[in-house]
Amino acid sequence: MIPSRRLLGILLAGLVPVVIGAENPDFRWTIWVYVLLLIGFVAVDWFITPKPTLLEVARINEPKLSIGEQNLITLAVHNQSQRTLDLQIRDEFPVEFPSDALILKTKIEPESVQEVSYHVRPLRRGDYRFGNINLRYTSTLGTFLRQSKIAFDELVKVYPNVLDVRKYDMLARKGMLFELGLRTARVFGSGTEFERLREYTPDDEFRSINWKASARRNKLIAAEYETERSQYVVSVIDTGRLMRPTINDIAKLDYAINAALMLGYVAMLKGDHIGMLSFADHVGRFLQPRRGKAQFYQMLEMLYNLPSQPVEADYGRAISYLGLKNKRRSLVVIFTDLSTMDTAKPLIQHMARLAKTHLALCVVMSDPNLVGYVGKSTQNSTDVYERAVAEMVLDERRVVLDTLNQAGVHTIDVPANKLTVSVINKYLEFKGRGLI
């Protein structure tokens, strides 16, 4: 029980009878009257104020929280008493999670359920634990604040960004994928997978006419085809030291995992086989390419707690291992980062070898700090030095990417917040052009 401001005000007003009784023995009875009235008033308030046992609370959230996203946490409170309560609620969410609210306030009517919500933004994948739910409400007569703690210990797992997967599903059903920045890159007429029938136009090839459908409709009908399915898409994720730095509080590795997961989901919906491999100085986890949703969920479980390593990545070992495990021509997407030309030589050498048998795509994230230094105005010698170093590093980075392109390796170099969309668009482009 916490005294309220009202009770403190009553105690302050009670100084008058206390002073009178202290100076005049004939009026000491006023002190006792005041104390007894105050105790009785608080006791009545205690008796008529609803007990904490009349409040039920439940925490409602997704079983899989998404890294880097605002995840909704809802607290539902059931007031089983006959009085309206002004509630303050504090949920004990993991201290590692930034939140948009610490104390939630609401008024709940008698015999009703009220929901309040807040958001958390996890910055690391893995296992975390929510604690108790703390309630505080003003007594009926306002003399104190009643407080209770409801045990609601709960384990939660922070996964890669599964909210993007759900958003993709929703927009795909509405035919509004352009809102995600995705482009349609199908090339009809060049594949063998039937897509649809439509009316023939003079621009269509003569061989595209479907004569049976034309006879039924008494007009020329053309058949559209898209490139065949059941192709192989493998995401190769560097978990070495270059992927440990953060951009907007999220590690580069997590951006790469989000993009790889979304790529796997889109490829799975297209009917392709999806797989993955992680590596640092040695090969970490490998998932043989297969089709179906079960494969996607297995990939999700393998990625949700994939750690980074403070070591140099061994590209040769990873690509050699993949060559032994996956003989079929595939789209191999390597998520990594670049530093200097000297350290990038192994990447260039082994990806050039990979490009001879597979469709190779190297995905890197541009560093916003470097870009910011290049565009920064110089006011002193330190600014000049920083800008010169940034321009030198970016020039060297462009040389590495150009060298990869000349070796037959496709590349993507975009800001972290555009990584997923760029990777998906490149995949759709490859598939539409029949390159895989």
Side-chain angles (χ1 to χ4, degrees):
M1 184 178 78
I2 303 172
S4 67
R5 290 184 178 181
R6 178 176 295 182
L7 181 59
L8 295 177
I10 294 173
L11 288 172
L12 186 61
L15 291 177
V16 176
V18 170
V19 171
I20 294 174
E23 293 188 356
N24 192 338
D26 294 336
F27 290 96
R28 283 183 181 173
W29 59 271
T30 59
I31 298 177
W32 295 106
V33 170
Y34 164 74
V35 171
L36 291 175
L37 287 175
L38 182 61
I39 293 174
F41 186 61
V42 174
V44 169
D45 195 12
W46 176 270
F47 180 76
I48 65 176
T49 297
K51 306 298 183 289
T53 54
L54 297 176
L55 294 175
E56 292 183 347
V57 183
R59 183 188 295 118
I60 305 169
N61 58 271
E62 295 289 343
K64 295 180 176 67
L65 301 185
S66 293
I67 186 173
E69 294 294 324
Q70 295 291 344
N71 295 265
L72 179 66
I73 310 295
T74 300
L75 302 176
V77 185
H78 181 200
N79 180 13
Q80 302 178 74
S81 72
Q82 302 300 316
R83 298 184 181 276
T84 300
L85 297 177
D86 287 319
L87 275 179
Q88 297 181 45
I89 308 172
R90 184 175 67 84
D91 193 9
E92 295 179 2
F93 52 84
V95 295
E96 299 88 348
F97 293 180
S99 172
D100 60 1
L102 183 60
I103 304 295
L104 304 172
K105 298 180 180 181
T106 185
K107 178 176 287 187
I108 180 169
E109 301 296 328
E111 298 292 344
S112 65
V113 177
Q114 183 73 31
E115 292 185 352
V116 290
S117 301
Y118 68 100
H119 296 83
V120 293
R121 182 175 178 260
L123 303 177
R124 299 288 183 273
R125 290 169 288 110
D127 297 333
Y128 296 89
R129 189 172 294 278
F130 279 83
N132 302 319
I133 299 176
N134 300 276
L135 302 178
R136 180 183 290 179
Y137 54 95
T138 305
S139 63
T140 303
L141 299 180
T143 62
F144 62 88
L145 299 177
R146 188 145 194 180
Q147 190 166 282
S148 68
K149 180 182 294 185
I150 298 177
F152 212 106
D153 193 65
E154 181 183 16
L155 178 68
V156 294
K157 294 184 177 183
V158 176
Y159 278 73
N161 196 347
V162 294
L163 292 180
D164 270 357
V165 174
R166 293 171 188 158
K167 185 177 181 180
Y168 178 91
D169 266 344
M170 180 186 70
L171 294 179
R173 286 194 295 268
K174 296 180 178 179
M176 299 173 65
L177 287 177
F178 62 88
E179 289 194 1
L180 291 177
L182 298 180
R183 301 187 299 267
T184 301
R186 294 180 295 180
V187 178
F188 295 107
S190 61
T192 59
E193 189 76 19
F194 176 76
E195 175 66 17
R196 62 171 180 164
L197 294 173
R198 59 168 176 78
E199 190 171 344
Y200 178 81
T201 64
D203 294 331
D204 293 325
E205 295 183 6
F206 184 75
R207 63 181 180 178
S208 68
I209 297 176
N210 187 302
W211 295 106
K212 290 184 178 180
S214 299
R216 286 195 301 268
R217 302 186 186 184
N218 291 322
K219 59 181 178 181
L220 291 179
I221 299 297
E224 284 186 344
Y225 297 88
E226 64 173 337
T227 52
E228 47 277 344
R229 302 184 180 187
S230 298
Q231 294 156 337
Y232 281 53
V233 180
V234 181
S235 295
V236 180
I237 303 172
D238 175 6
T239 62
R241 70 172 185 86
L242 291 178
M243 302 295 281
R244 291 169 69 88
T246 61
I247 300 175
N248 296 328
D249 299 324
I250 303 295
K252 288 184 176 181
L253 175 60
D254 290 310
Y255 284 109
I257 287 176
N258 288 341
L261 187 69
M262 194 67 183
L263 172 63
Y265 188 75
V266 174
M268 180 269 295
L269 293 180
K270 293 286 185 182
D272 289 342
H273 294 68
I274 59 173
M276 62 141 299
L277 181 147
S278 68
F279 73 101
D281 57 342
H282 63 279
V283 174
R285 302 175 186 180
F286 176 71
L287 182 63
Q288 189 72 37
R290 292 188 179 85
R291 298 174 63 182
K293 276 197 172 183
Q295 178 76 351
F296 170 76
Y297 289 124
Q298 187 174 354
M299 182 177 177
L300 175 62
E301 291 300 324
M302 292 182 72
L303 289 175
Y304 109 87
N305 62 352
L306 180 66
S308 61
Q309 306 290 335
V311 295
E312 292 290 341
D314 189 336
Y315 300 102
R317 179 171 294 186
I319 291 174
S320 298
Y321 184 89
L322 181 62
L324 291 173
K325 292 292 185 178
N326 181 45
K327 302 291 185 181
R328 179 162 175 169
R329 175 176 168 82
S330 310
L331 168 60
V332 179
V333 184
I334 295 187
F335 295 89
T336 186
D337 201 7
L338 306 174
S339 53
T340 64
M341 185 65 182
D342 290 336
T343 58
K345 285 180 179 178
L347 171 66
I348 297 171
Q349 174 190 348
H350 294 293
M351 288 213 68
R353 176 166 58 89
L354 178 71
K356 294 178 180 179
T357 54
H358 298 278
L359 179 61
L361 175 62
C362 180
V363 179
V364 297
M365 283 164 272
S366 58
D367 191 330
N369 294 322
L370 288 177
V371 176
Y373 281 127
V374 170
K376 183 180 178 181
S377 60
T378 56
Q379 298 178 353
N380 51 53
S381 58
T382 302
D383 292 340
V384 173
Y385 174 78
E386 290 175 343
R387 180 168 180 171
V389 171
E391 289 177 348
M392 182 182 67
V393 172
L394 289 179
D395 287 341
E396 201 163 10
R397 186 184 184 94
R398 278 191 288 268
V399 171
V400 173
L401 294 174
D402 289 341
T403 306
L404 286 170
N405 290 330
Q406 292 170 9
V409 179
H410 298 267
T411 59
I412 291 178
D413 182 16
V414 294
N417 62 337
K418 297 181 180 179
L419 185 69
T420 298
V421 170
S422 298
V423 170
I424 301 304
N425 279 331
K426 184 62 73 172
Y427 159 75
L428 295 174
E429 176 191 339
F430 288 157
K431 196 166 179 66
R433 293 168 56 191
L435 297 181
I436 305 178

mmCIF file of all heavy atoms in Angstrom, residues 357-384:
data_model
loop_
_atom_site.group_PDB
_atom_site.id
_atom_site.type_symbol
_atom_site.label_atom_id
_atom_site.label_comp_id
_atom_site.label_asym_id
_atom_site.label_seq_id
_atom_site.Cartn_x
_atom_site.Cartn_y
_atom_site.Cartn_z
ATOM 1 N N THR A 357 30.227 -22.756 -62.824
ATOM 2 C CA THR A 357 29.239 -23.854 -62.781
ATOM 3 C C THR A 357 27.892 -23.425 -62.218
ATOM 4 O O THR A 357 26.907 -24.135 -62.361
ATOM 5 C CB THR A 357 29.786 -25.018 -61.933
ATOM 6 O OG1 THR A 357 30.176 -24.524 -60.651
ATOM 7 C CG2 THR A 357 30.975 -25.669 -62.610
ATOM 8 N N HIS A 358 27.830 -22.262 -61.575
ATOM 9 C CA HIS A 358 26.589 -21.792 -60.973
ATOM 10 C C HIS A 358 26.350 -20.331 -61.364
ATOM 11 O O HIS A 358 27.252 -19.655 -61.874
ATOM 12 C CB HIS A 358 26.633 -21.905 -59.450
ATOM 13 C CG HIS A 358 26.792 -23.311 -58.944
ATOM 14 N ND1 HIS A 358 25.739 -24.178 -58.815
ATOM 15 C CD2 HIS A 358 27.900 -23.997 -58.547
ATOM 16 C CE1 HIS A 358 26.172 -25.340 -58.344
ATOM 17 N NE2 HIS A 358 27.481 -25.254 -58.169
ATOM 18 N N LEU A 359 25.130 -19.883 -61.109
ATOM 19 C CA LEU A 359 24.830 -18.457 -61.242
ATOM 20 C C LEU A 359 25.161 -17.823 -59.898
ATOM 21 O O LEU A 359 24.468 -18.054 -58.901
ATOM 22 C CB LEU A 359 23.356 -18.255 -61.596
ATOM 23 C CG LEU A 359 22.889 -16.806 -61.753
ATOM 24 C CD1 LEU A 359 23.642 -16.105 -62.869
ATOM 25 C CD2 LEU A 359 21.386 -16.749 -62.012
ATOM 26 N N ALA A 360 26.238 -17.039 -59.863
ATOM 27 C CA ALA A 360 26.759 -16.512 -58.600
ATOM 28 C C ALA A 360 26.335 -15.063 -58.416
ATOM 29 O O ALA A 360 26.450 -14.242 -59.329
ATOM 30 C CB ALA A 360 28.276 -16.622 -58.570
ATOM 31 N N LEU A 361 25.871 -14.753 -57.211
ATOM 32 C CA LEU A 361 25.467 -13.398 -56.843
ATOM 33 C C LEU A 361 26.123 -13.041 -55.518
ATOM 34 O O LEU A 361 25.919 -13.725 -54.510
ATOM 35 C CB LEU A 361 23.943 -13.302 -56.726
ATOM 36 C CG LEU A 361 23.369 -11.965 -56.232
ATOM 37 C CD1 LEU A 361 23.719 -10.836 -57.187
ATOM 38 C CD2 LEU A 361 21.853 -12.068 -56.038
ATOM 39 N N CYS A 362 26.913 -11.971 -55.509
ATOM 40 C CA CYS A 362 27.563 -11.500 -54.279
ATOM 41 C C CYS A 362 26.799 -10.288 -53.760
ATOM 42 O O CYS A 362 26.643 -9.285 -54.474
ATOM 43 C CB CYS A 362 29.012 -11.135 -54.565
ATOM 44 S SG CYS A 362 29.913 -10.549 -53.110
ATOM 45 N N VAL A 363 26.326 -10.363 -52.521
ATOM 46 C CA VAL A 363 25.497 -9.314 -51.930
ATOM 47 C C VAL A 363 26.259 -8.662 -50.783
ATOM 48 O O VAL A 363 26.674 -9.340 -49.837
ATOM 49 C CB VAL A 363 24.162 -9.888 -51.407
ATOM 50 C CG1 VAL A 363 23.323 -8.798 -50.773
ATOM 51 C CG2 VAL A 363 23.402 -10.566 -52.537
ATOM 52 N N VAL A 364 26.444 -7.353 -50.875
ATOM 53 C CA VAL A 364 27.109 -6.601 -49.813
ATOM 54 C C VAL A 364 26.268 -5.385 -49.462
ATOM 55 O O VAL A 364 25.418 -4.949 -50.242
ATOM 56 C CB VAL A 364 28.535 -6.163 -50.226
ATOM 57 C CG1 VAL A 364 29.418 -7.369 -50.469
ATOM 58 C CG2 VAL A 364 28.492 -5.283 -51.469
ATOM 59 N N MET A 365 26.510 -4.848 -48.268
ATOM 60 C CA MET A 365 25.771 -3.674 -47.791
ATOM 61 C C MET A 365 26.677 -2.459 -47.790
ATOM 62 O O MET A 365 27.790 -2.513 -47.251
ATOM 63 C CB MET A 365 25.238 -3.922 -46.376
ATOM 64 C CG MET A 365 24.020 -4.798 -46.309
ATOM 65 S SD MET A 365 23.731 -5.434 -44.630
ATOM 66 C CE MET A 365 24.711 -6.935 -44.676
ATOM 67 N N SER A 366 26.218 -1.378 -48.375
ATOM 68 C CA SER A 366 27.006 -0.143 -48.355
ATOM 69 C C SER A 366 27.026 0.427 -46.939
ATOM 70 O O SER A 366 26.051 0.313 -46.202
ATOM 71 C CB SER A 366 26.429 0.876 -49.341
ATOM 72 O OG SER A 366 25.070 1.162 -49.034
ATOM 73 N N ASP A 367 28.138 1.028 -46.589
ATOM 74 C CA ASP A 367 28.319 1.578 -45.246
ATOM 75 C C ASP A 367 27.833 3.027 -45.223
ATOM 76 O O ASP A 367 28.419 3.893 -45.889
ATOM 77 C CB ASP A 367 29.797 1.514 -44.858
ATOM 78 C CG ASP A 367 30.027 1.809 -43.382
ATOM 79 O OD1 ASP A 367 29.229 2.582 -42.812
ATOM 80 O OD2 ASP A 367 30.994 1.278 -42.826
ATOM 81 N N PRO A 368 26.766 3.347 -44.477
ATOM 82 C CA PRO A 368 26.257 4.721 -44.463
ATOM 83 C C PRO A 368 27.249 5.719 -43.873
ATOM 84 O O PRO A 368 27.226 6.899 -44.221
ATOM 85 C CB PRO A 368 24.995 4.611 -43.595
ATOM 86 C CG PRO A 368 25.190 3.400 -42.756
ATOM 87 C CD PRO A 368 25.995 2.457 -43.592
ATOM 88 N N ASN A 369 28.135 5.257 -42.992
ATOM 89 C CA ASN A 369 29.132 6.160 -42.415
ATOM 90 C C ASN A 369 30.118 6.642 -43.481
ATOM 91 O O ASN A 369 30.469 7.826 -43.540
ATOM 92 C CB ASN A 369 29.882 5.460 -41.284
ATOM 93 C CG ASN A 369 28.979 5.150 -40.110
ATOM 94 O OD1 ASN A 369 28.111 5.942 -39.764
ATOM 95 N ND2 ASN A 369 29.167 3.989 -39.504
ATOM 96 N N LEU A 370 30.562 5.706 -44.334
ATOM 97 C CA LEU A 370 31.479 6.088 -45.400
ATOM 98 C C LEU A 370 30.820 7.047 -46.383
ATOM 99 O O LEU A 370 31.410 8.052 -46.780
ATOM 100 C CB LEU A 370 31.962 4.837 -46.135
ATOM 101 C CG LEU A 370 32.953 3.932 -45.397
ATOM 102 C CD1 LEU A 370 33.270 2.702 -46.220
ATOM 103 C CD2 LEU A 370 34.228 4.697 -45.069
ATOM 104 N N VAL A 371 29.591 6.731 -46.764
ATOM 105 C CA VAL A 371 28.867 7.599 -47.691
ATOM 106 C C VAL A 371 28.678 8.979 -47.074
ATOM 107 O O VAL A 371 28.781 9.999 -47.762
ATOM 108 C CB VAL A 371 27.514 6.972 -48.057
ATOM 109 C CG1 VAL A 371 26.701 7.917 -48.946
ATOM 110 C CG2 VAL A 371 27.708 5.627 -48.765
ATOM 111 N N GLY A 372 28.418 9.031 -45.775
ATOM 112 C CA GLY A 372 28.230 10.310 -45.104
ATOM 113 C C GLY A 372 29.501 11.143 -45.092
ATOM 114 O O GLY A 372 29.455 12.367 -45.272
ATOM 115 N N TYR A 373 30.656 10.492 -44.925
ATOM 116 C CA TYR A 373 31.932 11.224 -44.927
ATOM 117 C C TYR A 373 32.244 11.802 -46.313
ATOM 118 O O TYR A 373 32.799 12.887 -46.419
ATOM 119 C CB TYR A 373 33.071 10.305 -44.486
ATOM 120 C CG TYR A 373 33.156 10.110 -42.991
ATOM 121 C CD1 TYR A 373 33.181 8.845 -42.428
ATOM 122 C CD2 TYR A 373 33.232 11.209 -42.139
ATOM 123 C CE1 TYR A 373 33.259 8.663 -41.054
ATOM 124 C CE2 TYR A 373 33.309 11.043 -40.759
ATOM 125 C CZ TYR A 373 33.320 9.765 -40.224
ATOM 126 O OH TYR A 373 33.389 9.597 -38.860
ATOM 127 N N VAL A 374 31.881 11.052 -47.359
ATOM 128 C CA VAL A 374 32.170 11.528 -48.716
ATOM 129 C C VAL A 374 31.404 12.808 -49.011
ATOM 130 O O VAL A 374 31.920 13.736 -49.632
ATOM 131 C CB VAL A 374 31.824 10.429 -49.742
ATOM 132 C CG1 VAL A 374 31.877 10.991 -51.161
ATOM 133 C CG2 VAL A 374 32.786 9.256 -49.603
ATOM 134 N N GLY A 375 30.163 12.888 -48.557
ATOM 135 C CA GLY A 375 29.355 14.069 -48.825
ATOM 136 C C GLY A 375 29.495 15.163 -47.792
ATOM 137 O O GLY A 375 28.806 16.186 -47.872
ATOM 138 N N LYS A 376 30.373 14.961 -46.822
ATOM 139 C CA LYS A 376 30.502 15.911 -45.718
ATOM 140 C C LYS A 376 31.368 17.105 -46.112
ATOM 141 O O LYS A 376 32.408 16.954 -46.758
ATOM 142 C CB LYS A 376 31.130 15.189 -44.511
ATOM 143 C CG LYS A 376 31.255 16.031 -43.265
ATOM 144 C CD LYS A 376 31.888 15.189 -42.147
ATOM 145 C CE LYS A 376 32.072 16.014 -40.882
ATOM 146 N NZ LYS A 376 32.711 15.215 -39.806
ATOM 147 N N SER A 377 30.920 18.294 -45.735
ATOM 148 C CA SER A 377 31.721 19.488 -46.020
ATOM 149 C C SER A 377 32.933 19.522 -45.086
ATOM 150 O O SER A 377 32.853 19.122 -43.926
ATOM 151 C CB SER A 377 30.885 20.752 -45.831
ATOM 152 O OG SER A 377 30.410 20.840 -44.492
ATOM 153 N N THR A 378 34.061 19.982 -45.607
ATOM 154 C CA THR A 378 35.300 20.000 -44.829
ATOM 155 C C THR A 378 35.529 21.380 -44.222
ATOM 156 O O THR A 378 35.492 22.398 -44.921
ATOM 157 C CB THR A 378 36.486 19.625 -45.727
ATOM 158 O OG1 THR A 378 36.527 20.516 -46.842
ATOM 159 C CG2 THR A 378 36.331 18.205 -46.235
ATOM 160 N N GLN A 379 35.747 21.388 -42.904
ATOM 161 C CA GLN A 379 35.970 22.648 -42.198
ATOM 162 C C GLN A 379 37.334 22.700 -41.512
ATOM 163 O O GLN A 379 37.791 23.770 -41.116
ATOM 164 C CB GLN A 379 34.868 22.870 -41.161
ATOM 165 C CG GLN A 379 33.481 22.980 -41.775
ATOM 166 C CD GLN A 379 32.394 23.144 -40.729
ATOM 167 O OE1 GLN A 379 32.656 23.050 -39.533
ATOM 168 N NE2 GLN A 379 31.178 23.408 -41.189
ATOM 169 N N ASN A 380 37.964 21.537 -41.377
ATOM 170 C CA ASN A 380 39.293 21.494 -40.768
ATOM 171 C C ASN A 380 40.060 20.307 -41.339
ATOM 172 O O ASN A 380 39.551 19.551 -42.178
ATOM 173 C CB ASN A 380 39.197 21.403 -39.236
ATOM 174 C CG ASN A 380 38.257 20.286 -38.793
ATOM 175 O OD1 ASN A 380 38.420 19.146 -39.211
ATOM 176 N ND2 ASN A 380 37.281 20.629 -37.955
ATOM 177 N N SER A 381 41.278 20.152 -40.885
ATOM 178 C CA SER A 381 42.148 19.102 -41.424
ATOM 179 C C SER A 381 41.606 17.703 -41.117
ATOM 180 O O SER A 381 41.782 16.773 -41.916
ATOM 181 C CB SER A 381 43.553 19.250 -40.853
ATOM 182 O OG SER A 381 43.527 19.182 -39.426
ATOM 183 N N THR A 382 40.954 17.545 -39.969
ATOM 184 C CA THR A 382 40.371 16.233 -39.622
ATOM 185 C C THR A 382 39.290 15.847 -40.618
ATOM 186 O O THR A 382 39.214 14.694 -41.066
ATOM 187 C CB THR A 382 39.796 16.272 -38.196
ATOM 188 O OG1 THR A 382 40.828 16.618 -37.272
ATOM 189 C CG2 THR A 382 39.213 14.914 -37.819
ATOM 190 N N ASP A 383 38.428 16.803 -40.978
ATOM 191 C CA ASP A 383 37.365 16.532 -41.955
ATOM 192 C C ASP A 383 37.950 16.159 -43.315
ATOM 193 O O ASP A 383 37.456 15.255 -43.996
ATOM 194 C CB ASP A 383 36.463 17.754 -42.107
ATOM 195 C CG ASP A 383 35.639 18.038 -40.858
ATOM 196 O OD1 ASP A 383 35.491 17.102 -40.054
ATOM 197 O OD2 ASP A 383 35.168 19.177 -40.696
ATOM 198 N N VAL A 384 39.025 16.850 -43.701
ATOM 199 C CA VAL A 384 39.671 16.541 -44.983
ATOM 200 C C VAL A 384 40.238 15.123 -44.969
ATOM 201 O O VAL A 384 40.088 14.356 -45.935
ATOM 202 C CB VAL A 384 40.789 17.564 -45.284
ATOM 203 C CG1 VAL A 384 41.568 17.148 -46.530
ATOM 204 C CG2 VAL A 384 40.199 18.953 -45.461
#
